[in-house]
Amino acid sequence: MRPDARRFENWERNVTGQLGLGAAVDYALGWGLADIAGRIEPLAAELRRRLADIPGVRVRDRGRRPCGIVTFTVEGKPARDIVAALRQGRINCHVSGQSVLDARARRLPDVVRASVHYYNTEEEVTRFVAAVAALA
């Protein structure tokens, strides 16, 4: 047995987190994973298409089956500035830094990360795109 506090790590666990995860899984299964994906994927595809139409905005997503996470850059503007401005308008998004999996290999700068979900509306996508267009 270790002589320091790490000896207790095998016995302690985040019970609240485990219960929350279980509740989230039950909730998602109640909606149906295929139904959730059937809502998220077209909504994210529409967001990508509309962002790509904005001069100076470059969608950075790749993959055979894109998910609800949409990443993009705005030419000449740091991602942190775009995120800060969007948050001022009560639009939630994040800066995604250098991903070990692929962003370093692609030499991407930090990107803006927007995540749509089944509860988002087309009107929210329109509002997001208009806000980004005003910043580009």
Side-chain angles (χ1 to χ4, degrees):
M1 185 179 295
R2 294 181 64 112
D4 58 11
R6 291 192 71 193
R7 70 178 172 219
F8 299 109
E9 288 183 5
N10 289 334
W11 304 104
E12 293 186 27
R13 57 194 175 123
N14 183 350
V15 175
T16 304
Q18 289 174 319
L19 293 172
L21 176 61
V25 168
D26 288 344
Y27 186 77
L29 292 176
W31 275 91
L33 298 182
D35 289 336
I36 291 171
R39 171 72 180 148
I40 293 171
E41 290 171 0
L43 200 60
E46 178 67 8
L47 178 57
R48 284 184 188 91
R49 183 190 67 73
R50 293 179 65 187
L51 286 172
D53 287 343
I54 301 171
V57 174
R58 186 168 172 195
V59 176
R60 300 298 189 144
D61 300 335
R62 286 188 172 174
R64 284 177 256 148
R65 185 178 177 193
C67 66
I69 299 171
V70 178
T71 59
F72 64 95
T73 53
V74 177
E75 186 178 329
K77 303 205 177 169
R80 69 180 178 280
D81 293 350
I82 298 297
V83 168
L86 292 171
R87 285 186 178 168
Q88 288 292 318
R90 300 183 57 84
I91 295 174
N92 218 6
C93 57
H94 300 277
V95 174
S96 184
Q98 293 294 316
S99 160
V100 175
L101 295 177
D102 132 294
R104 283 188 195 151
R106 292 169 55 200
R107 297 184 179 172
L108 291 179
D110 288 350
V111 298
V112 179
R113 175 186 162 160
S115 302
V116 298
H117 216 310
Y118 66 88
Y119 49 74
N120 289 118
T121 66
E122 288 77 6
E123 292 79 15
E124 289 171 320
V125 169
T126 297
R127 182 171 170 253
F128 184 89
V129 170
V132 171
L135 298 169

